[in-house]
Amino acid sequence: MRLRILQYGSPVLRAKGARIDQIDERVRQLATDMIETMRAANGVGLAAQQIGQPLQLTVVDVSKVEDRPSTLRLNGKEVDPKTASPLILVNPEIVLGTETSLGIEGCLSFPEITGEIERAETVRAKAQALDGSPIELEASGLLARALQHEVDHLNGILFIDRMNSAAKVALASRLKRMQKETERDIRKTPRALEPETAL
Ligand SMILES: [Zn+2]
């Protein structure tokens, strides 16, 4: 099922995701729905906060991107990031490499806004797969960038927080407008935008 992607101004985007202790049917369904939602929106990644669930769960898919390469070592083996996509990561923890680079990013919660963000070129991550088994990965390129963007979401951090101050100033009025629109939507349809807290 496709889910509604929440936009900037939704309070849940600022919430730190709770650790998932038990990967039950509901978590598995959520991951399936998140993949469907991400693909329908042509996204490279989606975090649970973006569909209203403050949980440590994210999905990433670089398989449709041709012009920005990635590498991936999964559990010690070099694999094609495209065939390994979508990656579903439960409770991910990442360690950043020391080299950084600038790159353009967008975010499904900020329609039509992009910005140049400095990120580590490589990351190492530990997480759990949907069956509960541990995953260890090392990534570079677009995949490394996407993982940093998504793990930020899981901690309530948004890509605008990482823009330089000139970019923030240039975007300020658009962001304020977006926030106001979202707040108006929430007042009109509170149920649709409130995160469910039962999980
Ligand atoms: Zn995002």
Side-chain angles (χ1 to χ4, degrees):
M1 184 179 67
R2 261 177 81 176
L3 305 167
R4 178 170 178 178
I5 298 174
L6 302 186
Q7 296 199 354
Y8 178 60
S10 300
V12 65
L13 291 177
R14 288 299 187 185
K16 185 172 164 58
R19 198 183 153 76
I20 297 173
D21 290 325
Q22 201 180 352
I23 304 169
D24 55 15
E25 185 48 38
R26 197 163 162 211
V27 171
R28 286 192 287 273
Q29 186 61 49
L30 195 59
T32 304
D33 290 345
M34 283 170 64
I35 290 167
E36 189 182 336
T37 304
M38 166 180 66
R39 286 183 166 159
N42 295 316
V44 169
L46 190 67
Q49 273 81 347
Q50 293 178 281
I51 45 92
Q53 301 282 352
L55 290 170
Q56 293 289 326
L57 173 65
T58 183
V59 296
V60 177
D61 187 344
V62 295
S63 65
K64 300 287 182 294
V65 183
E66 298 295 342
D67 54 343
R68 298 174 77 180
S70 302
T71 66
L72 174 62
R73 270 182 89 79
L74 194 57
N75 298 325
K77 259 196 210 154
E78 203 74 37
V79 295
D80 180 350
K82 291 192 177 185
T83 49
S85 291
L87 289 170
I88 301 168
L89 302 177
V90 179
N91 302 322
E93 286 170 27
I94 62 172
V95 178
L96 307 182
T98 49
E99 300 282 311
T100 63
S101 63
L102 285 170
I104 299 288
E105 286 179 31
C107 178
L108 294 176
S109 294
F110 293 79
E112 291 164 33
I113 287 179
T114 55
E116 200 167 51
I117 315 279
E118 186 172 14
R119 299 277 190 191
E121 278 183 21
T122 58
V123 297
R124 284 186 291 126
K126 284 184 180 178
Q128 284 163 273
L130 266 195
D131 63 3
S133 62
I135 303 174
E136 276 191 45
L137 61 84
E138 292 174 47
S140 73
L142 178 65
L143 180 56
R145 178 171 291 277
L147 288 167
Q148 292 169 76
H149 180 114
E150 299 314 324
V151 169
D152 270 356
H153 270 301
L154 300 184
N155 291 304
I157 298 166
L158 301 171
F159 80 141
I160 52 170
D161 305 340
R162 300 207 183 271
M163 289 180 187
N164 66 37
S165 49
K168 279 183 195 163
V169 169
L171 278 175
S173 63
R174 281 176 79 185
L175 290 175
K176 203 169 241 177
R177 207 160 53 230
M178 194 182 288
Q179 189 159 19
K180 273 194 183 145
E181 277 168 23
T182 302
E183 284 164 2
R184 205 174 51 223
D185 283 353
I186 291 173
R187 278 197 299 275
K188 267 196 251 164
T189 53
R191 283 266 161 79
L193 289 163
E194 263 172 25
E196 289 177 40
T197 50
L199 198 73

